[in-house]
Amino acid sequence: MLNLIRSTLFMILLTPFTIVYGVFAMFTFPLPAHTRYRIITTWSSIAMWLIRNVLGIRHRVVGQEHLPTAPAVILCKHQSAWETISLQTIFPPVAFVLKRELLRIPFFGWGLAQMPIISIDRSAGKDALKQVVDQGRDRLTEGFWVVVFPEGTRAPIGAAKRYKIGGATLAVETGSLVVPVAHNAGEFWRRNAFIKRPGEVVVSIGPAISTAGRSAEEVNAQTEAWIEGEMRRLFPHHYTGTPAAAVTAEA
């Protein structure tokens, strides 16, 4: 019952704030990209305050010393909406790869459109990969880190989907490092679940992966091996059967 009350209060507070902020964000379009980013991501900081103090979901980051000095491609596990908010406060300025349909959501999508995003048409097939590379190269040149969820969609903790190659291809094409990220947000904020549970999300940032002289397939496989291995190392209670070492060896 307490979690239902927490979750209801969270939505009551966040929804009107998002509507007002979405309208406000629309008027930032004449400003430079980094200025728009700093203004609009104050929404994320306030949302994280509500997540921490209303929902009771805290987080802890390990491996922050692995972050390179130049903008890189972040390949992150995808379990919930939590990471789409939190990564904006954990990393330097980021640009998310997202489906174009999100920009049509009233208020939220309108504000999102003013962010340095990479919007793709997922029905475009191979052209979608070109959209990621072309727009991603622009964002990296502008000084933004690019966040890609290689699984493409949210997967419950303890499960994994096939890692798509778009993020690794962007990194190889631009000569950027890849930063792998594992976390357990889905343990407390499940996909499409209204009721959230309090607890501590552990975000683990892995050593940067070099792309020099390597294929996108090799980089993607190494990224998947590290993320899935780290998931099993940190959160073994969500996995049965295949140990982390076997997953790494297979990848």
Side-chain angles (χ1 to χ4, degrees):
M1 178 61 73
L2 180 57
N3 289 341
L4 174 60
I5 294 172
R6 286 173 178 263
S7 300
T8 302
L9 179 59
F10 174 72
M11 291 305 297
I12 289 174
L13 294 172
L14 187 65
T15 300
F17 174 68
T18 300
I19 292 173
V20 172
Y21 217 85
V23 174
F24 168 71
M26 292 169 59
F27 293 97
T28 64
F29 72 90
L31 302 174
H34 280 271
T35 302
R36 292 201 311 272
Y37 183 89
R38 286 194 297 271
I39 293 172
I40 295 173
T41 52
T42 56
W43 177 92
S44 304
S45 299
I46 294 171
M48 288 300 292
W49 187 92
L50 292 173
I51 289 169
R52 183 172 60 254
N53 293 283
V54 177
L55 295 178
I57 300 177
R58 307 172 309 281
H59 74 277
R60 174 168 57 92
V61 180
V62 296
Q64 209 148 17
E65 68 277 7
H66 293 144
L67 291 181
T69 55
V73 177
I74 301 166
L75 298 186
C76 181
K77 192 75 176 171
H78 197 18
Q79 296 175 349
S80 73
W82 182 88
E83 56 268 22
T84 64
I85 302 171
S86 65
L87 295 188
Q88 298 174 55
T89 64
I90 293 172
F91 286 94
V94 296
F96 285 91
V97 174
L98 48 82
K99 55 187 179 181
R100 192 169 296 167
E101 304 92 273
L102 291 176
L103 304 183
R104 303 190 189 110
I105 299 175
F107 303 107
F108 177 81
W110 303 341
L112 190 62
Q114 303 307 319
M115 293 281 282
I117 57 173
I118 300 167
S119 63
I120 62 170
D121 178 3
R122 294 200 298 184
S123 65
K126 291 184 178 180
D127 285 343
L129 179 58
K130 186 176 185 300
Q131 292 168 14
V132 171
V133 173
D134 290 346
Q135 296 180 54
R137 180 182 286 109
D138 291 342
R139 299 293 87 78
L140 289 164
T141 301
E142 292 167 353
F144 292 97
W145 297 50
V146 175
V147 177
V148 182
F149 298 117
E151 293 169 293
T153 186
R154 292 167 292 180
I157 189 166
K161 295 182 179 293
R162 182 178 67 86
Y163 278 48
K164 297 179 176 63
I165 205 165
T169 300
L170 169 62
V172 169
E173 291 288 330
T174 58
S176 303
L177 294 172
V178 166
V179 177
V181 178
H183 64 85
N184 63 326
E187 188 172 342
F188 313 106
W189 186 320
R190 295 183 178 178
R191 177 181 179 179
N192 298 328
F194 178 79
I195 299 178
K196 286 79 172 172
R197 299 191 301 111
E200 181 181 69
V201 176
V202 179
V203 179
S204 180
I205 302 172
I209 297 172
S210 173
T211 61
R214 307 180 68 192
S215 69
E217 289 78 11
E218 290 174 326
V219 173
N220 200 45
Q222 183 178 349
T223 301
E224 180 177 4
W226 188 88
I227 292 176
E228 295 304 321
E230 185 73 349
M231 291 295 296
R232 286 159 177 79
R233 185 183 74 84
L234 291 175
F235 320 113
H237 52 291
H238 290 292
Y239 295 86
T240 57
T242 311
V247 173
T248 304
E250 180 181 352

